[in-house]
Amino acid sequence: MKKRKAIPFVTAAILSLSLCTSAFAADLPEVKILATGGTIAGTAPSDTQMTGYKAGALGIDTLLRAVPAINDIAVVSGEQIANTGSESMTTDIWLKLADRCNTLLSDPKVKGIVITHGTDTLEETAYFLNLVVRSDKPVVMVGAMRPATAISADGPVNLLNAVKLASSPKAVGKGVLIAMNDEINGARDATKTTTMNVATFKSPELGLLGYFANGEPFFYKETTRRHTKRSEFDVSGLKDLPRVDIIYTHVSDDRHLIDAAVKQGAKGIIYAGSGMGSIHKDAEPGLVDAQKSGVVIVRSARVGNGMVVAASKEWTAAHFLDGDTLNPQKARILLQLALTKTNDPAKIQRMFDEY
Ligand code: SIN
């Protein structure tokens, strides 16, 4: 008679663990990860190299394998949408992301989405999606300031927190969120504030929305501005967005870059003015002419904080619009989307007042 072989203890333990895990997995929320590259997927030749590394070198599967604890939180699966440093993010990738988010979130099984992204333009992608994703389900943006190969890389814990947030009912209806450095920031107000420090995303003056403690998200507030499900913008079927350029003022500014923008076919210009969106007297005639030729002009500020509201009678008469608290790069996104619907200045000002 053949003797039955005893199953070694470790094998048995693994077997029962995997049975438990798969039984347990049935109860876990389903979270999709869309990867786009950035430092979170970056590698350097040594663990002390924190700059000059290759962003977007690792695929999403490698990132997920590095954080096995994610499998205790959610059933995750990844899709590689792009693999780029985010300084080279494109409208093309944005439209693809918007489309994937809307398709995936319409599946009742999917509870949320995490998007891995470089930090350089993460706030722009976050705000774009905040305006075009038509779902209340959580969409969480995550990046890292240190490459995956660095000592104390911040990517793994940020990714773990992001998956936790994307699967949390607390994040429903809050708009697109940013999970980095144990903090939760909202897409509209957050901006990258420092070039190398891991504590880079802040919502200056308007403040963060919450924290993570032991991987658990805690919210303290939410934005009052329209987003996601309450947004009027729809980019499905679009192949591109209208061209909007940002002109950044300085001492001895003039109209040359404004004229060049118009010549290149800009449909809108964000003027990153000094102070409360002030316009240099030598640049102003260029903006007036641009507006007369049909280009929509929005005053924003290079200051980084505070509102831009109506100021001089001349600017109001010239139909220059007010960018409110949006920084120039976010004002650009709202104007691009506004121009997909109208070029009526009054209607576009209403959008700047609401979003
Ligand atoms: C990038 O934005 O892709 C590079 C920088 C970073 O991710 O921190």
Side-chain angles (χ1 to χ4, degrees):
M1 206 171 92
K2 240 183 167 183
K3 237 182 161 186
R4 251 176 105 193
K5 261 197 190 156
I7 304 173
F9 175 73
V10 178
T11 316
I14 290 172
L15 266 177
S16 62
L17 191 70
S18 65
L19 283 175
C20 278
T21 312
S22 50
F24 187 52
D27 301 330
L28 291 177
E30 198 172 321
V31 170
K32 295 286 177 190
I33 314 233
L34 304 181
T36 69
T39 294
I40 192 167
T43 56
S46 89
D47 62 4
T48 52
Q49 189 174 330
M50 307 285 176
T51 63
Y53 49 82
K54 185 168 166 23
L58 302 176
I60 182 60
D61 293 338
T62 314
L63 294 189
L64 287 174
R65 270 200 303 277
V67 195
I70 283 178
N71 300 310
D72 299 333
I73 299 171
V75 177
V76 292
S77 54
E79 271 179 46
Q80 198 77 43
I81 299 291
N83 215 352
T84 181
S86 79
E87 69 283 355
S88 301
M89 186 50 57
T90 61
T91 308
D92 234 28
I93 300 174
W94 275 5
L95 292 172
K96 201 166 162 192
L97 272 175
D99 185 58
R100 282 311 285 148
C101 286
N102 282 321
T103 304
L104 290 169
L105 294 176
S106 67
D107 178 346
K109 291 199 299 297
V110 175
K111 293 292 174 249
I113 289 179
V114 168
I115 299 173
T116 61
H117 198 289
T119 59
D120 287 356
T121 60
L122 186 147
E123 70 193 65
E124 286 164 74
T125 303
Y127 188 52
F128 170 70
L129 294 174
N130 196 50
L131 298 177
V132 302
V133 169
R134 311 297 285 271
S135 171
D136 263 353
K137 293 180 187 174
V139 175
V140 181
M141 305 280 307
V142 65
M145 290 298 284
R146 296 180 182 143
T149 44
I151 319 176
S152 299
D154 51 333
V157 69
N158 288 345
L159 187 57
L160 187 68
N161 283 344
V163 172
K164 188 76 192 212
L165 189 58
S167 50
S168 170
K170 294 182 195 169
V172 171
K174 300 276 196 309
V176 175
L177 301 168
I178 299 172
M180 290 219 10
N181 202 39
D182 279 341
E183 293 180 349
I184 306 166
N185 279 281
R188 182 185 185 278
D189 302 323
T191 191
K192 185 170 182 175
T193 61
T194 168
T195 54
M196 284 190 269
N197 198 301
V198 293
T200 193
F201 282 96
K202 302 278 173 206
S203 302
E205 295 193 335
L206 297 175
L208 52 75
L209 306 185
Y211 300 105
F212 292 94
N214 295 315
E216 209 41 64
F218 293 86
F219 278 91
Y220 294 87
K221 57 187 185 179
E222 59 189 280
T223 183
T224 57
R225 296 306 181 105
R226 287 174 71 173
H227 57 72
T228 53
K229 225 176 163 183
R230 292 198 299 122
S231 170
E232 68 203 89
F233 303 113
D234 180 3
V235 291
S236 56
L238 291 187
K239 296 271 171 282
D240 205 356
L241 293 174
R243 182 182 178 119
V244 173
D245 289 328
I246 299 173
I247 306 286
Y248 192 101
T249 193
H250 49 81
V251 169
S252 294
D253 195 6
D254 59 28
R255 62 179 295 161
H256 285 98
L257 289 179
I258 299 164
D259 292 342
V262 175
K263 202 163 159 215
Q264 281 304 309
K267 301 286 179 271
I269 289 176
I270 304 297
Y271 189 78
S274 55
M276 207 277 285
S278 292
I279 300 169
H280 195 290
K281 68 176 174 36
D282 296 334
E284 193 171 329
L287 292 176
V288 169
D289 288 347
Q291 198 282 331
K292 282 186 183 148
S293 74
V295 178
V296 177
I297 311 296
V298 175
R299 290 169 46 242
S300 182
R302 61 178 202 174
V303 175
N305 282 303
M307 298 169 78
V308 172
V309 297
S312 89
K313 281 201 208 84
E314 290 77 20
W315 297 339
T316 305
H319 302 292
F320 296 167
L321 308 183
D322 315 315
D324 194 36
T325 59
L326 292 177
N327 65 23
Q329 58 271 33
K330 291 195 190 172
R332 173 178 173 273
I333 295 162
L334 181 54
L335 183 53
Q336 283 186 295
L337 291 171
L339 287 166
T340 63
K341 300 200 79 94
T342 179
N343 56 8
D344 177 334
K347 289 188 179 147
I348 296 178
Q349 185 61 63
R350 193 266 301 156
M351 294 168 186
F352 273 85
D353 296 341
E354 292 181 359
Y355 288 90

